[in-house]
Amino acid sequence: MNTTVDERTPDHDEIVRVVQCYVEGFQGRRDKLEEAFHEDAWILALDAAGGFSKDLISDRFERWAASHQPVHGRVIQVTQAGEVASVLLGFDNTETPADSWVDVLALIKLDGRWQITHKSAVHSTRAAWAAPA
């Protein structure tokens, strides 16, 4: 099934809810990060200068939760094919827009529950049209 902007994927609301847990985790809510991500999820990222990093996401939970970053999750696109999905997400810093990111999140529905299994991220300066306006 091809999904256009006007159509919603079957589990759209639940997928977006899980992604929102990830965003809320940056407000001191490690429990929300643990709910959103599979324990074996990885992040691959390019910063503004082109520096590459990769980590097990759970290794970042403590730092992310303690950051209290003023972020807003801007869901750009949700794609679902059965029990696999992807979300293109603007991870916009509302205080410092120049410190925003664009993520591609991969999700799997495992044991009836959506979980993020991978995050590819680029600094917003490398995200072309998907960067915050």
Side-chain angles (χ1 to χ4, degrees), residues 54-66:
K54 68 176 182 173
D55 287 302
L56 191 62
I57 289 178
S58 60
D59 290 345
R60 294 184 176 204
F61 283 174
E62 199 62 41
R63 179 169 45 102
W64 284 357

Side-chain angles (χ1 to χ4, degrees), residues 3-98:
T3 303
T4 66
V5 175
D6 295 331
E7 296 176 1
R8 287 194 158 206
T9 61
D11 292 347
H12 179 274
D13 292 345
E14 182 58 18
I15 291 165
V16 170
R17 186 196 69 75
V18 169
V19 170
Q20 186 59 35
C21 285
Y22 152 50
V23 174
E24 291 172 10
F26 280 76
Q27 303 308 310
R29 298 293 308 271
R30 181 185 174 119
D31 61 315
K32 293 286 190 175
L33 294 168
E34 291 170 351
E35 180 179 347
F37 288 96
H38 185 275
E39 63 187 11
D40 295 321
W42 280 85
I43 178 175
L44 303 175
L46 282 177
D47 65 21
F52 177 74
S53 63
K54 68 176 182 173
D55 287 302
L56 191 62
I57 289 178
S58 60
D59 290 345
R60 294 184 176 204
F61 283 174
E62 199 62 41
R63 179 169 45 102
W64 284 357
S67 73
H68 291 275
Q69 287 187 39
V71 293
H72 169 74
R74 178 174 41 93
V75 175
I76 301 168
Q77 182 178 19
V78 176
T79 304
Q80 179 185 353
E83 295 181 339
V84 66
S86 65
V87 174
L88 183 60
L89 178 74
F91 193 79
D92 303 339
N93 187 316
T94 58
E95 266 183 20
T96 312

Side-chain angles (χ1 to χ4, degrees), residues 118-129:
H118 178 84
K119 171 183 168 173
S120 290
V122 296
H123 189 268
S124 62
T125 57
R126 299 179 161 276
W129 63 266

